[in-house]
Amino acid sequence: MNDKSIESLLHEQRKFPPSDEFISAARLQPSAAEALYAEAAADHEAFWGRLAQQEIHWETPFTDILDASDAPNYRWFTDGHLNVSYNCLDIHLAERGDKAAIIFEGEGGDQRRLTYRELTDAVSQFANALQAQGVSAGDRVVIYMPMVPETVIAMQACARIGAIHSVVFGGFSASSLRDRIIDAGAKLLITADGGFRGGHVIELKAAADEALAEGCDTIETVIVLNRADCGVSMQDGRDIWWSDAIGGHTAICEPVAVDAEHPLFLLYTSGSTGKPKGIQHSSGGYLLNAKLSSQWIFDLHDDDIFWCTADVGWVTGHSYVAYGPLAAGATILMYEGAPTVPDGGRFWSICQRHGVTIFYTAPTAIRALMKFGDDIPAQYDLSKLRLLGTVGEPINPEAWMWYHEVIGGQRCPIVDTWWQTETGAIMISPLPGTTPTKPGSCTKALPGIDVDIVDEAGEPVTSPNEGGYIVIKKPWPSMLRTIWGDNDRYIETYWEKFQNRYYVAGDSAHRDTDGYIWMMGRIDDVLNVSGHRLGTMEVESALVAHDRVVESAVVGFPHDVKGEGIFAYVVLRGERPSGDEEPALVAELRGWVGQEIGAIAKPDQIRFTENLPKTRSGKIMRRLLRTIARGDEITQDTSTLENEAILDQLRGKG
Ligand code: PRX
């Protein structure tokens, strides 16, 4: 976030309490919320132990709540056994078997509805198919799919048999998919011929074939869903159509009870090195926080239609599409395509058509849709909406107010939820029937989540509005367990800074005089582009893998839709391009990064320079590069620059 937006947030004084009407029907009443805070404060472990017993069906009950013997590798409910899929599906059959679990709409307008019974049957049948392909507990299965019900079916089927899934976002390239398959040592890949997005067919199977052409020796089988009828090549002995894979299997599959600590999934996310980290989540602890946060924050009632617009390729699509709301017995809506097809009213037309009551999306989507003007949402009946949410990045007050007035008709509380791939579930958020909201603040930590803001020495910052590091001081059930295959990196990244005492999130924040938390952005070299995390080093490594590029430095700059845009300074082998050559090379490099990582990583701006600004000791002066990328006046000392003459080139003037 830039200084101007911090400044504007600092002056944000408006406060919006929930309406009496909302409070009276809220699932978590203010008094109950207060009791939860008090209970957690009195005995943190007993609090989580009680909730785990109450909310989860255990095959074998646990006796040990928290095992800190290998801290900071904490373990929760270790001697308990459970099955996550059972807890999301079978558990509802007696009471809600005929209730819709998933309402689906494809980009082309096709619709499907699956009841809890139908979903349980489909998951069981596909779980049987996976077992028939030799998948068993602990095996890794990579899922590279469009946003269709089969993706949730595949995830839940893995959970049913104890296989560990790793979903790779369908917008990632073949090479990103390959890296993730190799790192996880996956045995089976589930993909589709293609999916519909933005008016095009995204050819997933073709990308999967490209990924598998090199080094993915552990993959034995590829299951391919026919979604787009787009014609793909199938490799004999390796590839099998989804419909053939499930053929002949019954819809009965006994859920496999696993240890509470058994990994439920890996999800790769960017860090400050070039290599994404495989964040490993557990079964018991993860499920507990995913379910509870769905109930507390989204106020799920039996007649709600809950739509979280996130793709299952991101953690939000795990916790608030595939697991949390299903564990809570809710009806979820899934939409396959882009928000702008056929026009900027698509989200609102879906809300109207399906009677969506709770809508959860990213600020970047709100900003993009806001640009189409108020007339578009005004054409739709949004009166069923009663609660709105945001996730992924700080929301600017202007977008918050638009969301509140134009989409929420001034009656819907807005929950601004802060969390991370690593935290597994929402950590900081208003409780909608309790917490008055302020535009741009995610307000306060949830009960049982011990968030603080500390200074360089690890001491809590005391004066209001003083910035510091966001830390979580006590372990919580859905915390990441490790980085797959690299526990040292886990400890180094999240714990070492304060001698293993606190979990360090990598974000900075401050508290106002009411104790409300305001997020101020990342403190590491991680960008937040359209609510998605991207390491600057990842983009740099992709750029230097191109023949013409010798060196590059990537920084973020404020972008009015994406939140943060990508600015790449590039040093070429040989001469800088001139005339028409320059835009051609820019286009080539953007395409190249798209191929190496995925379209979201394409730099918005590329500037060629003869060198990068370095101090005499050889450190790249990133702060200077950020200043230039923002178009701000250079105020920092440039006298230590090795070559001051390049300033003009960096500014695009030389
Ligand atoms: O910087 C914070 C930002 O997104 C990061 C986590 O990214 P990721 O693991 O991809 O998960 C995104 C969805 C949970 C955080 O470190 N972030 C997330 N939510 C918010 C946020 N920043 C401000 N306000 C939020 N509500």
Side-chain angles (χ1 to χ4, degrees), residues 56 58 76-77 82 84 88 155 165 260-265 267 280-293 314-325 327 419-425 476-481:
I56 292 179
W58 296 93
W76 287 87
F77 321 122
L82 79 160
V84 170
C88 293
M155 294 163 82
H165 61 69
E261 280 296 305
H262 183 75
L264 177 63
F265 65 85
L267 184 59
Q280 180 181 320
H281 278 290
S282 68
S283 298
Y286 171 81
L287 180 66
L288 179 62
N289 282 132
K291 178 179 180 189
L292 279 172
S293 56
W314 311 105
V315 74
T316 311
H318 283 60
S319 304
Y320 302 106
V321 178
Y323 291 110
W419 59 297
Q420 309 178 292
T421 305
E422 292 86 341
T423 66
W476 67 100
S478 66
M479 64 196 297
L480 77 163
R481 294 308 193 256

Side-chain angles (χ1 to χ4, degrees), residues 367-629:
R367 287 191 299 267
L369 296 176
M370 197 171 127
K371 283 196 180 262
F372 290 95
D374 300 1
D375 294 351
I376 300 227
Q379 292 164 19
Y380 299 95
D381 176 7
L382 299 177
S383 62
K384 290 252 173 70
L385 285 174
R386 60 179 200 88
L387 176 60
L388 302 174
T390 68
V391 58
E393 52 176 319
I395 181 162
N396 46 315
E398 190 198 353
W400 197 100
M401 287 308 297
W402 185 81
Y403 200 31
H404 171 69
E405 285 168 1
V406 179
I407 305 305
Q410 301 189 353
R411 71 184 177 275
C412 307
I414 298 181
V415 287
D416 175 344
T417 63
W418 178 90
W419 59 297
Q420 309 178 292
T421 305
E422 292 86 341
T423 66
I426 296 167
M427 300 279 103
I428 309 177
S429 165
L431 294 170
T434 301
T435 322
T437 54
K438 298 186 190 186
S441 167
C442 51
T443 75
K444 299 192 177 182
L446 297 182
I449 304 298
D450 195 3
V451 167
D452 207 348
I453 301 174
V454 301
D455 62 19
E456 210 41 66
E459 295 303 320
V461 300
T462 44
S463 44
N465 300 333
E466 186 185 339
Y469 298 89
I470 276 281
V471 295
I472 306 179
K473 290 182 153 174
K474 292 199 187 94
W476 67 100
S478 66
M479 64 196 297
L480 77 163
R481 294 308 193 256
T482 188
I483 292 175
W484 180 256
D486 197 349
N487 198 53
D488 289 347
R489 190 172 174 199
Y490 163 72
I491 293 171
E492 194 187 306
T493 311
Y494 303 108
W495 298 92
E496 259 175 14
K497 170 129 191 110
F498 299 115
Q499 303 78 42
N500 296 357
R501 283 183 296 158
Y502 319 135
Y503 168 82
V504 185
D507 279 305
S508 62
H510 68 85
R511 269 202 188 92
D512 66 16
T513 43
D514 291 334
Y516 276 44
I517 297 170
W518 299 78
M519 288 293 160
M520 292 159 65
R522 301 283 309 186
I523 42 168
D524 50 12
D525 291 324
V526 171
L527 306 179
N528 192 326
V529 180
S530 303
H532 300 314
R533 255 160 86 169
L534 206 55
T536 52
M537 282 270 286
E538 253 175 283
V539 184
E540 287 165 10
S541 335
L543 282 165
V544 297
H546 188 278
D547 280 353
R548 296 264 328 252
V549 179
V550 177
E551 200 179 9
S552 115
V554 167
V555 297
F557 69 97
H559 188 289
D560 61 353
V561 173
K562 296 178 175 186
E564 211 166 9
I566 305 175
F567 199 118
Y569 298 88
V570 168
V571 182
L572 293 173
R573 228 172 278 286
E575 293 283 293
R576 285 191 298 151
S578 55
D580 290 349
E581 216 198 322
E582 177 164 345
L585 188 55
V586 166
E588 184 178 330
L589 290 178
R590 293 186 75 239
W592 172 262
V593 175
Q595 257 178 42
E596 289 285 296
I597 304 177
I600 53 161
K602 285 184 184 176
D604 299 278
Q605 297 240 31
I606 293 184
R607 189 157 292 162
F608 299 108
T609 169
E610 278 160 24
N611 343 92
L612 293 173
K614 291 187 183 155
T615 60
R616 294 212 171 87
S617 60
K619 257 184 85 157
I620 295 178
M621 298 172 75
R622 286 182 179 274
R623 210 158 65 86
L624 175 68
L625 293 177
R626 277 193 285 266
T627 306
I628 298 171

